[in-house]
Amino acid sequence: MKLAVVGGGSTYTPELIDGFARLRDTLPVSELVLIDPAAERLELIGALARRIFARQDHPGLITTTSDLDAGVAGADAVLLQLRIGGQAARLQDETWPLECGCVGQETTGAGGLAKALRTVPVVLDIAERVRRASPDAWIIDFTNPVGIVTRALLRAGHKAVGLCNVAIGFQRKFAALLGVAPAEVHLDHVGLNHLTWELGVRVGGPGGRDVLPELLAVHGDAVAADLRLPRAVLDRLGVVPSYYLRYFYAHDAVVRELGEKPSRAAEVAAMERELLALYADPALDEKPALLAKRGGAFYSEAAVDLAAALLAGGGPAVQVVNTYNGGTLPFLPDDAVIEVQARVDGSGAAPLAVAALDPLFAGLVSHVSAYEDLALDAALRGGRERVFKALLAHPLVGQFDLAEGLTDRLLAHNKEHLPWA
C-alpha cells in the first residue's frame, strides 16, 4: 500500500509517522512519500521519519520529493495537510480581525475565510493532479478549514473524506475520565467542522448506555476547564460543545483576551523552530514530547483508522468524518458537508442517522453552513463582493460596517495569494 502526504514537511508529520509505525497491523504501509516544496525542511523531517520507522522495525520505504505528480503517482491514498502562506499568513489571520473588534482565528470568522480563499484553489489543483496520476486514490483532507475544503473536493467529484482530531480528542479524554478503553466510547458527535456538540457519550458502542449526564455531574469541572467555558454553560446546555464554540459563546471575552496576549500563531512559530532543531538531531528516533503541544493530538490514530477503513479491506468502521449531509440533518442541503459519525468502507463515508437537533444548535449550524456555501463561492470565483457577502453572513461578523472593514483588510493582507484581489 502506497500513501502520499502533501505537506510532508509539516512539523505535524512525525506524529503521523509515529501512528503509521505503531499501527502497522491496522494499516500495512509499504511505501510512504512525503511531498513538500520546502526541500531543506522536507529532508530534515524525512530523515527523522526513517529513524522512527527503523526504531519500531517498520519495513516500509519512506521517500521525499518536491515533485507532486511523481509523488502521488500510484498512491492508494493522499493525505493533505497544507498551510498556504505558512505561519506568517496565520499570524495575519489572527491579527487584523482584532482591529475591527472581531475574533482573530485561523479557521473561523474572518481569519478562517481568508484561509479558505487561499487554500481552496490550491487544494483543487492538487486534487486534479492526483486524479490524473492515481484516479482510484482516496484524498483524506486534514487541511483547514476542513468543512469548506472537503465541500470543494466533493463538489468537484473527487474521492474525498475530511478529517479532524476534535472528536478523537474528546473520545480519549472521556475514556480516561470514565476509566474505560477508548474503543468503548462512542460519541453522539453532531454539527459542522469546528462547530460540533457531543450530544451523548455511549459506553459499549453506538447502542451503548449514554453516560453523558453522569460524566458532566462527576467530571463537569474538568471538562469545563478544558474547554475554557464556565461549568454553568455545560450544565445548562446538557451537552459538551467543541472548544471552538467558545468563539461564539464568549466572543467579546475572547476578543479582549486575544488583544492582551501573544497570538497562537506566534507561539506555534516559536514552537516550530524548537521542534525543527530537535528533528535535526540524528540521535532522535521518536516523536518528541514537545510535539503534543503543537496541536493535532491523536491525528495519526484518526488518519490510520480512516485510511484503513477506506483501503485495507477489513470491513466497515464507524468514525467521525466530514462528508456530504445527504439528508442526515434535514434542515441543511444534501450537499452541505457535516461532521458526524459515519460508516466508512471502500465505497466512502455514509453518515449514521442522528436524533433531531435542538433548535439552539440547529440554528447556528444552519447559519454557519450558509456562510460556508458563500465562502466556497468566493474561493472558487473570487471578487470583493463575494468576500463581503460571506463575511456579512458569518455569525461572528453579521454587521455591514464590520464586513466592509474586514473585507478591505482581508484583501490587503492576502494579495499575494489571491490573483484576482
Side-chain angles (χ1 to χ4, degrees):
M1 182 184 299
K2 176 180 177 179
L3 300 186
V5 180
V6 181
S10 168
T11 52
Y12 274 132
T13 300
E15 162 72 22
L16 192 60
I17 300 300
D18 177 73
F20 288 152
R22 288 186 294 103
L23 303 172
R24 56 184 174 271
D25 291 338
T26 302
L27 187 69
V29 177
S30 57
E31 182 180 358
L32 179 64
V33 184
L34 306 181
I35 305 167
D36 203 292
E40 183 177 348
R41 179 165 165 157
L42 180 62
E43 286 308 312
L44 185 71
I45 290 174
L48 172 58
R50 295 184 193 100
R51 295 195 298 269
I52 292 173
F53 263 32
R55 175 190 174 96
Q56 301 197 37
D57 296 320
H58 193 295
L61 172 68
I62 296 179
T63 60
T64 59
T65 183
S66 59
D67 186 334
L68 175 70
D69 299 300
V72 301
D76 297 289
V78 178
L79 283 72
L80 305 182
Q81 50 174 39
L82 311 175
R83 185 182 293 281
I84 306 304
Q87 294 297 334
R90 176 179 181 169
L91 178 61
Q92 295 295 330
D93 293 344
E94 294 181 356
T95 303
W96 53 263
L98 294 174
E99 297 171 5
C100 296
C102 294
V103 162
Q105 212 278 330
E106 64 158 342
T107 64
T108 192
L113 176 60
K115 186 168 191 177
L117 298 178
R118 294 192 304 268
T119 303
V120 165
V122 176
V123 166
L124 289 178
D125 176 68
I126 291 169
E128 286 298 330
R129 293 163 72 178
V130 170
R131 180 150 54 190
R132 290 196 297 268
S134 301
D136 294 326
W138 281 99
I139 295 175
I140 296 174
D141 179 63
F142 193 66
T143 297
N144 281 317
V146 168
I148 296 172
V149 172
T150 302
R151 187 185 290 209
L153 287 166
L154 290 173
R155 285 191 180 180
H158 296 291
K159 294 175 60 177
V161 181
L163 182 64
C164 180
N165 69 318
V166 167
I168 193 172
F170 273 134
Q171 181 202 43
R172 300 304 173 88
K173 290 171 184 174
F174 295 163
L177 292 173
L178 295 168
V180 300
E184 289 294 303
V185 176
H186 176 93
L187 303 177
D188 293 344
H189 178 101
V190 182
L192 310 175
N193 180 244
H194 290 184
L195 193 86
T196 52
W197 296 264
E198 310 307 327
L199 306 184
V201 177
R202 302 184 183 279
V203 174
R209 184 172 66 91
D210 182 11
V211 299
L212 179 57
E214 0 178 325
L215 178 72
L216 290 177
V218 177
H219 302 289
D221 288 342
V223 175
D226 195 47
L227 298 173
R228 301 180 66 198
L229 285 170
R231 165 72 183 270
V233 172
L234 273 64
D235 291 338
R236 295 178 72 178
L237 294 179
V239 303
V240 178
S242 159
Y243 41 84
Y244 287 94
L245 265 299
R246 184 169 183 261
Y247 298 115
F248 296 81
Y249 292 160
H251 174 275
D252 292 353
V254 171
V255 168
R256 289 193 297 270
E257 174 188 298
L258 292 175
E260 296 170 354
K261 68 174 188 177
S263 70
R264 173 63 177 166
E267 293 175 357
V268 169
M271 199 177 302
E272 286 201 332
R273 290 191 292 270
E274 189 174 350
L275 282 169
L276 290 170
L278 292 172
Y279 295 168
D281 181 356
L284 183 68
D285 58 4
E286 59 185 345
K287 64 177 183 179
L290 178 63
L291 187 54
K293 298 180 180 179
R294 170 65 180 82
F298 309 115
Y299 161 40
S300 61
E301 285 90 339
V304 166
D305 288 345
L306 179 53
L310 293 170
L311 301 171
V318 173
Q319 184 172 0
V320 172
V321 297
N322 286 260
T323 192
Y324 271 152
N325 175 43
T328 307
L329 299 180
F331 54 88
L332 294 183
D334 285 351
D335 67 349
V337 165
I338 62 174
E339 186 173 290
V340 294
Q341 295 278 5
R343 180 184 185 274
V344 184
D345 59 21
S347 63
L352 301 182
V354 301
L357 201 56
D358 189 295
L360 179 62
F361 312 129
L364 187 53
V365 168
S366 183
H367 195 161
V368 174
S369 183
Y371 150 77
E372 289 187 348
D373 197 41
L374 292 166
L376 179 55
D377 185 49
L380 293 175
R381 298 200 288 163
R384 185 187 188 281
E385 190 66 10
R386 292 188 182 93
V387 173
F388 167 78
K389 287 180 178 178
L391 287 168
L392 187 62
H394 201 294
L396 295 182
V397 181
Q399 298 181 61
F400 181 87
D401 57 342
L402 287 180
E404 285 282 16
L406 289 167
T407 299
D408 290 339
R409 287 168 172 79
L410 185 156
L411 296 179
H413 285 287
N414 287 275
K415 282 185 177 179
E416 65 179 297
H417 301 290
L418 306 176
W420 49 265

